[in-house]
Structures are given as structure tokens and as C-alpha cells.
């Protein structure tokens, strides 16, 4: 079964009408949380195949950051910024859902830690897909397909389509029987790969581009929203000070 970020049918339909401000990725994360604790879910085998912990700096202690990075404070800021945004989104929607749908979501079960797990799983496994109906572009999680590995420098590796529950990948190169199929998560630096996907590539020379932005924001929430939109769960912004911000920005990637 394909898990898509579009509006749902059944008992989750009313949930997303209440939480209508959620992005597609946030809706995917909420669906993961819902199915994770639903014993009769048809997606249970897939949910159980997702690692219970996604090993990214979002879950690391300062001690682990110090032992892994020479300049550990930079990654600390990125991780804390992303985590702050995720907490903000959790607090925006989940208390409302706990109150309105107590049979579906409870504070004791659907905790912030579970939300972190779900959002990291979505970030590291979702596919942007073309659809034959509206919306023309969506996002989805697909069992088995989300195990395709990253190949540095591979661009235009595949085009994806989603028609109902049918998910199709059209490769842009020839493969022989027995070949491993790769895709590209984007040509990025190791800080981005580690924060977004939980891995690093030895010998990766792609720089983390430093942007000394002169852009001003109305408030902290506006700044976090902007960096989330540009960086996804790999949000790596330095929080704003008096309306201005110094940020590290990345491009590309399997979003």
C-alpha cells in the first residue's frame, strides 16, 4: 500500500479537516503515528520495518556531537533549530487532536518523541511524485521502494508517478539484471546528509554554503517557517536576532 500525503478518507478525513494547515509531509507523519498504534492496520508490516530510531543529530546529546564533529557547535545549532520547529508544529496541532479525537490520538501514546520519529522517517523516506490528477505533485512513502540508496552525482535518476495506489518509477538509465538501482538524494554536504538521512559519505567535498542573509522576518516563527520551507527537516538555521539572521542553506535532495 502507498502512504500518500494527500487528504485521507475514513476516520482520518475529519482529522485533516481540523488540522487543515498541515503540510503533506506533516500529514504523512501523522498517518505514520496513527498506523503505528493501530493493531489492525494493513500498513503494520511496513511500519514495523521502519527503524524505531532514526540516527540523526536531532536525537544526539551534546557529548555525542562533540565526539563526532570538530566544530560541533555548528551542527548543534542546526539540530536545535530543526527540533524547535518540530516542537512548534507538534504543539500547534496535536493538543487539538487529543481533545477532538481522543479515540484516535492520546497524549500518552502520540508523544513528541513519536512525532520526531515520524517526521524523520518521512524526511528520509518520502518521494516527491507526479500524479495524473490533482494535486499534480504530491509526496508519498512506498514500502520497499524507500530502500533505494543514494548515489552521489547521479542526477535525473528516476521519474515517479502515483495513480491511486499504483506507484511507478521510470529509470533514466539502463539497468541489467542483478544491478542495484540507485537514485539521488541531491548533491549536498555531509552535514545535510547526516541531519536529514542519518549518513555521511567519505570523501564528500560538497561544501555547506554559508549565506549571510540580510533578509528580515516579522518574528521567530516566521523565520523558522522560512527555513523549514527551504531546508525541510534538515533545517539548519541560526535563530533570528533583532530581525536578521545568519544561516546555512542547502539545496537538492530526495524530498
Amino acid at each position: 500500500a502507498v502512504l500518500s500525503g494527500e487528504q485521507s478518507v475514513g476516520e482520518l478525513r475529519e482529522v485533516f479537516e481540523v488540522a487543515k494547515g498541515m503540510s503533506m509531509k506533516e500529514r504523512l507523519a501523522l498517518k505514520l503515528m496513527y498506523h503505528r498504534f493501530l493493531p489492525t492496520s494493513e500498513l503494520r508490516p511496513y511500519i514495523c520495518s521502519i527503524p524505531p530510531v532514526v540516527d540523526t543529530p536531532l536525537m544526539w546529546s551534546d557529548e555525542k556531537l562533540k565526539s563526532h564533529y570538530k566544530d560541533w557547535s555548528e551542527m548543534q545549532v542546526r539540530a536545535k533549530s530543526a527540533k524547535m520547529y518540530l516542537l512548534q508544529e507538534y504543539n500547534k496541532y496535536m493538543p487539538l487532536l487529543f481533545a477532538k479525537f481522543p479515540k484516535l490520538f492520546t497524549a500518552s501514546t502520540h508523544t513528541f518523541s513519536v512525532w520526531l520519529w515520524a517526521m524523520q522517517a518521512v524526511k528520509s523516506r518520502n518521494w516527491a511524485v507526479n500524479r495524473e490528477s490533482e494535486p499534480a505533485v504530491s509526496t508519498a512513502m512506498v514500502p520497499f521502494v524507500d530502500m533505494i540508496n543514494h548515489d552521489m552525482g547521479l542526477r535525473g535518476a528516476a521519474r515517479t508517478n502515483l495513480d491511486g495506489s499504483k506507484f511507478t518509477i521510470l529509470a533514466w538509465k539502463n539497468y541489467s539484471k542483478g544491478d542495484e538501482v540507485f537514485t539521488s538524494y541531491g548533491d549536498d554536504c555531509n552535514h545535510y546528509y547526516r541531519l536529514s538521512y542519518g549518513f555521511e559519505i567519505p570523501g564528500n567535498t560538497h561544501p555547506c554554503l554559508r549565506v549571510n542573509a540580510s533578509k528580515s522576518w516579522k518574528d521567530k516563527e516566521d523565520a523558522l517557517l522560512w527555513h523549514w520551507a527551504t531546508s525541510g527537516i534538515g533545517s539548519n538555521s541560526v535563530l533570528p536576532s533583532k530581525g536578521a539572521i545568519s544561516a546555512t542553506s542547502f539545496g537538492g535532495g530526495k524530498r
Side-chain angles (χ1 to χ4, degrees):
V2 174
L3 193 64
S4 73
E6 298 159 51
Q7 297 288 0
S8 292
V9 296
E11 58 186 357
L12 286 183
R13 182 173 184 175
E14 188 177 352
V15 170
F16 288 120
E17 288 177 356
V18 171
K20 58 184 177 182
M22 277 189 165
S23 67
M24 284 193 180
K25 290 178 183 177
E26 289 171 340
R27 292 200 294 266
L28 269 177
L30 190 63
K31 289 179 181 180
L32 281 182
M33 295 172 73
Y34 168 77
H35 286 285
R36 176 174 174 174
F37 299 103
L38 185 66
T40 58
S41 172
E42 64 175 359
L43 293 172
R44 189 161 185 79
Y46 174 56
I47 301 295
C48 291
S49 75
I50 298 175
V53 177
V54 182
D55 186 24
T56 77
L58 285 181
M59 310 302 292
W60 290 5
S61 64
D62 285 350
E63 288 70 25
K64 186 169 182 178
L65 284 170
K66 289 179 182 179
S67 66
H68 193 83
Y69 294 104
K70 183 177 181 180
D71 183 11
W72 69 276
S73 61
E74 186 175 343
M75 179 59 83
Q76 179 194 46
V77 169
R78 295 172 184 174
K80 286 187 174 181
S81 175
K83 198 168 185 177
M84 183 181 295
Y85 184 85
L86 292 176
L87 179 60
Q88 173 183 287
E89 293 300 284
Y90 179 86
N91 288 334
K92 181 189 296 184
Y93 295 111
M94 294 311 297
L96 180 62
L97 299 184
F98 296 151
K100 287 188 172 291
F101 306 100
K103 293 184 178 180
L104 302 182
F105 300 100
T106 63
S108 60
T109 299
H110 302 87
T111 63
F112 177 62
S113 294
V114 176
W115 173 253
L116 270 182
W117 164 82
M119 286 300 297
Q120 289 182 99
V122 169
K123 171 57 186 175
S124 61
R125 291 170 175 265
N126 87 94
W127 289 80
V129 294
N130 302 303
R131 300 184 72 253
E132 297 181 4
S133 57
E134 292 298 325
V137 179
S138 181
T139 185
M141 296 178 70
V142 187
F144 182 74
V145 176
D146 64 6
M147 298 176 68
I148 296 179
N149 286 321
H150 167 68
D151 184 5
M152 176 70 76
L154 182 65
R155 308 300 288 175
R159 184 167 63 90
T160 57
N161 291 289
L162 178 61
D163 181 18
S165 61
K166 182 181 179 181
F167 183 80
T168 305
I169 298 178
L170 303 177
W172 287 8
K173 61 173 287 186
N174 292 325
Y175 286 96
S176 299
K177 183 178 180 180
D179 288 349
E180 180 176 357
V181 177
F182 290 96
T183 188
S184 173
Y185 298 0
D187 293 337
D188 290 298
C189 72
N190 276 340
H191 279 329
Y192 180 84
Y193 289 137
R194 171 61 73 179
L195 192 57
S196 299
Y197 305 109
F199 68 81
E200 296 173 5
I201 299 177
N204 181 13
T205 58
H206 284 282
C208 297
L209 303 179
R210 173 67 63 180
V211 179
N212 294 315
S214 59
K215 176 179 173 61
S216 294
W217 287 270
K218 292 181 297 183
D219 51 36
K220 181 184 292 186
E221 182 175 351
D222 186 34
L224 287 171
L225 179 61
W226 184 84
H227 284 285
W228 177 262
T230 56
S231 305
I233 201 169
S235 176
N236 37 53
S237 58
V238 180
L239 298 182
S241 175
K242 298 181 180 179
I245 200 166
S246 175
T248 302
S249 181
F250 302 113
K254 177 184 167 190
R255 304 289 187 254

